[in-house]
Amino acid sequence: MSLKRVVITGIGVVSPFGNGVPALMKGIEEGRSAVRFMEGWDQYNGLQSLVGAPVTMQGEMSIPRQKRRSMGRMSIFAAQAADEALADAGIMLADEDLWRVGCVVGSTMGSAKSINDVFETMLPDKDLSKLNSTMFFQCMSHTATVNVAQYLGLTGTIMAASAACASALHAIGIGYDLIRLGRQDILLCGGAEELHPTVTGSFDILFATSTKFNDNPGKTPRPFDRDRDGLVCGEGSGILVLEEYERAVKRNATIYAEITGFSTTASGIHVSQSNKESMVMCIRQALADSGVKPEEIDYINAHATATLQGDQEEAEAIREIFGALVPVSCLKGNIGHTLGAAGAIELAASLKMMETGMIYPTLNLENVSQDCEGIQHVMHPLKKQVNTVLKNGFAFGGINAALVCKKI
Amino acid sequence: MTGQEIIEKTNKVFEESFEIEKERLVPDANIFVDLGLDSLDIVDLIVALQSSFGVKIRNEEKVRDIRTLQDLYQFISSIKNEEGTKNV
């Protein structure tokens, strides 16, 4: 059985820079930071990191109430990103065989605010009678993908990928395989996540968050930088339209790129620490799947969350495979770490960089840390023909993911 | 609690919880057909009414017979009256 080719024909995002890909790219192009001091977070005892990259919710009332009622913040972001992605792809669902159209959307967990609200409502008096009917649908792990499917009326394959910060890349990888195997024609794939003090807190108690920039939020996170001190959580959603190649060509779709390689590996060593060896294996397998050599990659969009250990391991992994041959940058300095959405939002931005031939630098990378040297850090906007992109994503649980896209 | 107060409080639940315009909240409006509520909405309606009126109605058999807003006003009224009787 021959495998089908898979292309990306639409992208949509909700990011801390606002709704839509243009808002995201404008923020990146202008070198801005969306990181803010989070008012009210200081009421949480023990929370050291008081910064985040929030999304200002907009336009949610245009989602019909009976679709919206089961959506927490992340699902609203995902639905809005899916709308944009479909419009960008020029796909009218009314014209499609919806048994052949599905979605795979990942997130770390269900809506953090909704989960918090449920327990705040229920636990003080151990009373379930005040819980409304749709809270569970906001809290369940597959909330984002289910809500996208319900909102759009999709009836094909509906799956969720839950792999923390690698969720979106896993979702895209699953979608890539489903279309390659001929099981679906169109899949909306990506991730969603939302910002909440309990989410930042989960990293904070592990000393993984940025805590020294509460008075100067725009200066953090600082991926690969000498003065980096941890990650900053963000929120949003990224959705990509994956489509079978022949079908996309037949309808004269604009093709951003072909997905040519994907891999995911695990360290099997430690639940929270990153691991260079398993990252190297992951990237090498993605390159092999794609049939490209390291020197054929034109741009690497790094995961680089600005944690001390994670950035070092990723820089070492990139150095081992690519040396200083390939430009490397990441977007966490602009929009924080959007966790389960990161892989899709950052891949969407990478595809726009591919389209325009302009690679944007890692914001807040001012002095490359000694332990992150030896790779080609992009510290200023770089004009370059980009035909092939590698997108990295790594997650708690020792999970690694890497995706290769080629311009066609 | 007067009948008018019950109507106003009930209607407020429909406006706030289900985003239904005031003009549509007429007594003979069918909650399902005219106002578009479904099974999940009924759960939320019960939760909201319990909170708004300070009553427990989730396990009341009579809830199942409610079709129109007028049915609902009368149901709430009877529950509040029973409550008042118990307090005498």
Side-chain angles (χ1 to χ4, degrees):
Chain A
M1 184 180 103
S2 65
L3 292 174
K4 295 181 184 298
R5 295 171 70 184
V6 183
V7 291
I8 298 168
T9 55
I11 55 178
V13 300
V14 171
S15 80
F17 284 134
N19 284 29
V21 175
L24 172 67
M25 294 315 296
K26 189 165 189 286
I28 293 169
E29 285 162 18
E30 293 173 354
R32 283 189 279 119
S33 165
V35 177
R36 304 278 179 271
F37 177 79
M38 298 301 293
E39 295 289 343
W41 280 21
D42 53 2
Q43 68 182 300
Y44 286 80
N45 289 330
L47 184 62
Q48 304 293 312
S49 180
L50 304 179
V51 290
V55 169
T56 302
M57 180 91 76
Q58 54 184 293
E60 72 275 19
M61 296 306 280
S62 64
I63 301 172
R65 182 189 67 81
Q66 283 184 332
K67 301 293 183 189
R68 190 182 353 114
R69 65 185 173 178
S70 55
M71 296 179 176
R73 281 176 72 79
M74 67 159 69
S75 296
I76 289 172
F77 299 152
Q80 292 174 330
D83 263 342
E84 184 189 18
L86 278 176
D88 187 41
I91 291 173
M92 299 292 291
L93 288 175
D95 300 335
E96 301 295 338
D97 172 5
L98 292 180
W99 301 112
R100 302 287 299 170
V101 184
C103 63
V104 188
V105 184
S107 61
T108 302
M109 57 186 197
S111 167
K113 181 180 182 302
S114 303
I115 292 170
N116 192 73
D117 288 351
V118 164
F119 290 120
E120 279 195 353
T121 302
M122 183 175 68
L123 288 183
D125 302 316
K126 293 191 168 47
D127 180 4
L128 279 73
S129 68
K130 292 176 188 160
L131 296 177
N132 70 31
S133 66
T134 52
M135 290 306 285
F136 172 72
F137 304 112
Q138 299 176 20
C139 296
M140 59 194 192
S141 299
H142 61 325
T143 187
T145 203
V146 162
N147 276 299
V148 167
Q150 290 287 321
Y151 172 57
L152 296 173
L154 306 180
T155 52
T157 302
I158 309 301
M159 295 176 78
S162 185
C165 311
S167 296
L169 281 188
H170 269 194
I172 296 165
I174 291 167
Y176 170 52
D177 280 345
L178 286 169
I179 294 177
R180 272 208 293 184
L181 292 168
R183 296 190 191 282
Q184 293 280 276
D185 295 331
I186 298 171
L187 284 167
L188 289 103
C189 297
E193 204 79 62
E194 66 189 53
L195 183 61
H196 193 271
T198 57
V199 173
T200 294
S202 66
F203 295 98
D204 203 84
I205 57 174
L206 303 176
F207 302 103
T209 53
S210 174
T211 60
K212 295 178 187 160
F213 295 88
N214 289 338
D215 297 329
N216 197 4
K219 287 301 202 182
T220 191
R222 307 179 64 79
F224 299 124
D225 190 81
R226 180 188 67 193
D227 299 320
R228 71 188 187 277
D229 72 331
L231 62 80
V232 174
C233 291
E235 64 181 350
S237 176
I239 301 288
L240 284 71
V241 175
L242 272 55
E243 191 170 352
E244 192 273 317
Y245 168 75
E246 298 289 348
R247 164 185 206 294
V249 169
K250 199 171 168 187
R251 70 176 186 90
N252 288 319
T254 301
I255 295 172
Y256 283 97
E258 178 176 5
I259 299 177
T260 53
F262 173 74
S263 175
T264 180
T265 62
S267 72
I269 292 174
H270 197 279
V271 74
S272 67
Q273 289 182 4
S274 307
N275 170 265
K276 183 196 92 174
E277 284 73 25
S278 60
M279 289 175 174
V280 167
M281 179 57 77
C282 184
I283 295 169
R284 285 198 192 284
Q285 287 183 171
L287 295 176
D289 189 31
S290 185
V292 299
K293 296 176 186 144
E295 58 269 28
E296 291 176 282
I297 295 290
D298 296 312
Y299 169 57
I300 299 169
N301 188 273
H303 184 64
T305 64
T307 61
L308 297 181
Q309 200 249 351
D311 283 14
Q312 179 186 345
E313 295 289 315
E314 184 173 9
E316 285 181 7
I318 293 171
R319 186 166 63 230
E320 182 167 320
I321 300 169
F322 301 95
L325 279 175
V326 182
V328 179
S329 73
C330 89
L331 303 173
K332 305 284 194 302
N334 301 100
I335 58 171
H337 188 357
T338 56
L339 309 172
I345 294 176
E346 295 167 9
L347 180 59
S350 302
L351 294 172
K352 293 304 281 186
M353 292 190 224
M354 178 185 266
E355 185 180 76
T356 58
M358 182 63 82
I359 298 172
Y360 292 98
T362 303
L363 187 65
N364 291 328
L365 175 55
E366 293 171 327
N367 300 287
V368 175
S369 179
Q370 208 170 11
D371 56 8
C372 299
E373 286 177 347
I375 63 176
Q376 192 188 138
H377 289 289
V378 180
M379 300 179 73
H380 305 282
L382 174 68
K383 187 89 185 145
K384 183 185 176 183
Q385 174 81 21
V386 178
N387 294 321
T388 311
V389 165
L390 168 70
K391 175 76 196 100
N392 290 342
F394 308 120
F396 274 172
I399 294 174
N400 312 296
L403 190 89
V404 178
C405 290
K406 263 189 198 175
K407 190 186 268 186
I408 53 174
Chain B
M1 181 172 275
T2 67
Q4 188 57 35
E5 283 170 336
I6 287 173
I7 291 171
E8 284 171 10
K9 261 189 156 181
T10 304
N11 287 1
K12 198 171 169 206
V13 165
F14 279 83
E15 286 178 59
E16 291 179 354
S17 298
F18 305 111
E19 301 169 12
I20 296 173
E21 303 82 0
K22 199 176 279 187
E23 304 75 56
R24 294 172 60 201
L25 299 173
V26 293
D28 61 353
N30 185 296
I31 288 170
F32 303 97
V33 178
D34 300 320
L35 302 182
L37 271 63
D38 66 7
S39 58
L40 291 177
D41 289 329
I42 297 305
V43 175
D44 292 346
L45 177 62
I46 290 169
V47 171
L49 291 171
Q50 288 188 152
S51 168
S52 188
F53 289 98
V55 293
K56 287 192 186 298
I57 55 174
R58 190 181 170 92
N59 297 324
E60 289 283 341
E61 282 296 322
K62 286 186 224 162
V63 169
R64 297 174 190 280
D65 299 328
I66 294 169
R67 292 291 177 274
T68 66
L69 276 181
Q70 184 61 39
D71 295 342
L72 187 54
Y73 303 147
Q74 282 170 352
F75 170 73
I76 297 285
S77 180
S78 68
I79 293 287
K80 293 301 283 183
N81 282 340
E82 279 173 29
E83 198 179 60
T85 310
K86 279 179 200 164
N87 291 339
V88 169

